[in-house]
Amino acid sequence: MNKRILTIQDYSSVGRCSLTAALPILCACGHDAVGLPTALLSTQTYGIEGYTFTDLYPNMLPSYEHWKKLGINFDCLYTGFLGSMETLAATTEIAVDLKKKGALIAVDPAMAENGKLYAIFDDKYRDGMFELCRMADIVMPNFTEGRMLAGLKMYLEPNEPNARMILKILHHNGFNRVLLSGIHTDDGRQGTATLDNGVITLQMNTNFNEYIHGAGDCLSSAFIGKLLAGVPVNKAAQTAVDFCKSCIEISLKEKVDLRFGLLIERVLPMLINRP
């Protein structure tokens, strides 16, 4: 049965990431996807100068209240990049309300990479995001965020043993379902490690050396889309990994400017046709 999914992220008009990636992917998985933008940008921000930014925080809670008055209900809240303490607080308020109503809460922390927080975030934002993660039914950190969420401060290689250690700590700390991304194996592959009620499995595919903007958004969105369609956690993660691999392959073949994201529209039929 198709689900109505509310996803809260920023909207970059150019560059397939955040909402411009999440909405078509979730729809391809058969769901009614509703976007609540935290900000409007002319382009995504990585490697690009001069972009415009409009804060949409004042519109967030009024929009949600309007939907409630219309009797619009959501089966899932899926959060991505939020960007400020104000939008984080508004998102947390919405999450609390939806959780009371039985909605699934899925959180991609989207706050750190390569061993450290993004430059725009501080420890206060990190701690607030941790609170939202603890409320969630599913968390989807990359390796850096997973290490932070597990309370580990030392540098760790993003390999299988360390991924298993992080997931075991998270499970001990009360997390039941986790999608941990950015894991590398000794045979040169890359993918995810999942925790599903104590069971840890890996989902791997080809490793690409290029920095691919928006790949994480595609991964999380495809995973949530398949999970809400009734696919088990480990299989939903493998489909998401395979989907990203196909998106990257065709984008490299077409020699697109990777600052503007992946050619996801070419690969959406894979999500429609694959159970």
Side-chain angles (χ1 to χ4, degrees):
M1 181 177 179
N2 296 346
K3 306 294 185 180
R4 178 177 285 150
I5 302 172
L6 172 62
T7 180
I8 302 180
Q9 309 187 43
D10 65 280
Y11 188 99
S12 297
S13 296
V14 176
R16 301 171 185 85
C17 63
S18 298
L19 283 180
T20 51
L23 293 176
I25 289 173
L26 294 173
C27 289
C29 292
H31 304 297
D32 177 7
V34 177
L36 181 57
T38 60
L40 174 64
L41 295 90
S42 56
T43 67
Q44 67 89 7
T45 60
Y46 180 83
I48 298 175
E49 297 181 354
Y51 56 85
T52 66
F53 174 92
T54 303
D55 184 9
L56 297 181
Y57 159 70
N59 182 62
M60 292 177 64
L61 291 176
S63 293
Y64 182 68
E65 290 300 321
H66 184 221
W67 296 330
K68 288 171 66 175
K69 290 178 181 178
L70 293 175
I72 296 174
N73 299 310
F74 298 97
D75 300 292
C76 173
L77 170 64
Y78 157 37
T79 72
F81 185 85
L82 300 179
S84 71
M85 289 301 300
E86 291 80 11
T87 54
L88 175 57
T91 300
T92 301
E93 184 174 336
I94 292 171
V96 169
D97 189 59
L98 286 176
K99 193 173 183 68
K100 290 178 181 176
K101 298 175 180 178
L104 183 80
I105 309 300
V107 174
D108 181 342
M111 65 175 180
E113 196 172 25
N114 297 323
K116 59 184 179 180
L117 289 171
Y118 294 145
I120 64 170
F121 295 142
D122 56 16
D123 291 349
K124 185 177 179 181
Y125 183 91
R126 178 203 62 198
D127 293 344
M129 180 57 71
F130 284 175
E131 288 299 315
L132 182 59
C133 288
R134 281 188 278 270
M135 184 194 311
D137 301 289
I138 301 169
V139 291
M140 301 172 288
N142 61 32
F143 187 83
T144 293
E145 294 159 348
R147 176 181 59 78
M148 291 178 173
L149 194 58
L152 301 173
K153 297 182 179 181
M154 76 289 285
Y155 173 78
L156 294 171
E157 289 288 340
N159 55 31
E160 179 180 349
N162 287 333
R164 289 183 178 275
M165 176 181 66
I166 288 171
L167 291 177
K168 287 177 181 178
I169 293 173
L170 292 177
H171 185 240
H172 176 76
N173 292 342
F175 292 91
N176 289 322
R177 286 191 284 181
V178 180
L179 175 75
L180 184 66
S181 59
I183 312 305
H184 297 262
T185 57
D186 292 338
D187 59 1
R189 295 182 298 159
Q190 183 177 2
T192 60
T194 55
L195 170 70
D196 184 16
N197 292 311
V199 178
I200 296 173
T201 54
L202 267 69
Q203 302 80 30
M204 293 291 148
N205 210 313
T206 306
N207 179 45
F208 297 91
N209 292 324
E210 293 84 356
Y211 179 83
I212 311 293
H213 179 77
D217 299 329
C218 292
L219 178 79
S220 296
S221 299
F223 172 70
I224 289 298
K226 284 301 179 181
L227 190 69
L228 268 290
V231 178
V233 168
N234 61 326
K235 292 184 178 180
Q238 187 66 62
T239 295
V241 168
D242 295 344
F243 171 72
C244 289
K245 178 251 188 183
S246 296
C247 288
I248 294 171
E249 280 185 334
I250 194 167
S251 299
L252 293 176
K253 181 180 179 181
E254 297 290 335
K255 299 180 180 179
V256 300
D257 188 338
L258 294 177
R259 294 179 302 167
F260 299 135
L262 298 169
L263 295 176
I264 60 174
E265 59 272 22
R266 306 283 187 90
V267 193
L268 289 178
M270 169 183 169
L271 297 177
I272 297 171
N273 299 323
R274 182 166 169 174

